[in-house]
Amino acid sequence: MHPPELRDRAIAMHADGVPFRLIWRTLGLPPRTVGNWLYGERARKRRERQPDDRCPRCADPRRPPDAPAAYAYLLGQYLGDGHIVRARRTVLLAVSCDNRYPGIIAEVDAAMRSCGARSVHHRAKIGCTAVSALWNHWPCLFPQHGPGHKHERPIELADWQEPIVGEHAEPFVRGLIHSDGCRFDNRVTVRGRTYSYPRYMFTNESAHIMDLCRRSLDRLGVEWRMSRRNTLSVAKRASVLRLDGFVGAKS
Ligand SMILES: [Zn+2]
């Protein structure tokens, strides 16, 4: 038997449009094996199998996500800089991560696995790494999925997501700031002495996503203000310290 990672890689390459011949050659497998994975009877059944017990929304009975804190983090990352693409036979969830922060790449990877991904792929691009996983049930977990840019359509939490974001506001905000925000030092020099005022910023074009961020910060007692239409800033010392407790500088 071949390890499931090989099968997932074959399916991922297929979804990327890699020619069949190149897939089995790259993986060093007999074409028959790869053919079965991609087109065989089991592949068809696998796609149609419902419910998929790994998916908390399709499981019978339905249940909340198995790892709610990881889910809240991944939701923040998805709303910030993630996207869901329907390929011919499967669905891809991808989050774009800055190469300067290997810790964030590892955290996104771990969150995808905790939420149900069997294997996670890292694809290096210029300056960033796309962390992605194939699973037909990503749209169940992220019903915010839809055509077009997130800031051009309404982004609302589903009823079942509300309590998760409410109870796990910290990892949710951490995911948002890791994707679309930062912590930076505002340095001011007065009479030869330099003072450092750390701040947090969160930027997003979607008024709805910005509102979700504000609501979570309110819940956590973090004071914020809008420094621009699409930019939120946290500058009060106590609030910065509060964020330092569960966000901190990106790494
Ligand atoms: Zn599902």
Side-chain angles (χ1 to χ4, degrees):
M1 284 301 288
H2 300 285
E5 287 79 17
L6 276 183
R7 199 196 61 187
D8 282 3
R9 257 193 84 193
I11 295 171
M13 290 169 88
H14 181 61
D16 274 352
V18 177
F20 178 65
R21 181 196 293 258
L22 206 57
I23 298 177
W24 61 263
R25 281 191 177 166
T26 307
L27 299 178
L29 293 166
R32 224 188 126 132
T33 305
V34 177
N36 266 330
W37 286 343
L38 302 182
Y39 310 110
E41 183 66 9
R42 279 184 64 190
R44 192 181 63 77
K45 288 215 172 109
R46 187 173 67 238
R47 286 193 299 277
E48 289 174 1
R49 196 189 307 139
Q50 293 286 345
D52 178 332
D53 220 42
R54 273 188 298 151
C55 173
R57 303 299 303 154
C58 293
D60 187 16
R62 279 183 175 176
R63 60 177 195 265
D66 300 322
Y71 174 75
Y73 177 76
L74 192 55
L75 178 63
Q77 281 276 4
Y78 164 68
L79 292 177
D81 213 2
H83 54 271
I84 286 176
V85 186
R86 282 180 189 278
R88 203 144 61 95
R89 293 165 194 274
T90 183
V91 179
L92 181 89
L93 167 68
V95 174
S96 182
C97 300
D98 193 313
N99 284 342
R100 286 174 300 172
Y101 310 123
I104 293 180
I105 293 175
E107 194 166 346
V108 170
D109 181 311
M112 285 181 175
R113 290 174 199 272
S114 303
C115 288
R118 278 222 175 91
S119 61
V120 178
H121 308 268
H122 295 201
R123 191 144 34 118
K125 299 178 176 177
I126 296 168
C128 71
T129 295
V131 181
S132 67
L134 292 165
W135 190 24
N136 283 338
H137 294 265
W138 289 126
C140 310
L141 285 177
F142 301 109
Q144 286 70 28
H145 162 64
H149 295 290
K150 291 195 202 84
H151 65 269
E152 288 164 354
R153 53 191 159 86
I155 299 289
E156 281 168 4
L157 294 184
D159 287 347
W160 62 268
Q161 288 177 302
E162 287 281 359
I164 298 167
V165 170
E167 281 167 40
H168 301 277
E170 290 187 358
F172 178 63
V173 167
R174 181 176 165 85
L176 286 173
I177 293 180
H178 275 181
S179 67
D180 269 349
C182 64
R183 181 191 193 276
F184 66 99
D185 263 328
N186 198 25
R187 286 175 190 279
V188 182
T189 305
V190 182
R191 287 186 218 111
R193 279 193 66 181
T194 303
Y195 300 85
S196 159
Y197 299 97
R199 287 177 179 215
Y200 281 88
M201 250 174 52
F202 175 69
T203 306
N204 196 289
E205 289 302 323
S206 161
H208 296 111
I209 293 172
M210 191 56 86
D211 196 50
L212 289 173
C213 181
R214 287 191 294 239
R215 272 166 48 198
S216 293
L217 291 174
D218 286 346
R219 205 174 268 139
L220 294 167
V222 174
E223 287 186 61
W224 51 266
R225 67 181 186 85
M226 298 306 289
S227 52
R228 275 197 291 271
R229 176 192 57 80
N230 62 352
T231 306
L232 176 148
S233 153
V234 174
K236 291 229 169 125
R237 197 175 140 74
S239 293
V240 169
L241 278 174
R242 180 84 176 86
L243 284 181
D244 280 347
F246 60 89
V247 184
K250 291 185 182 186
S251 64

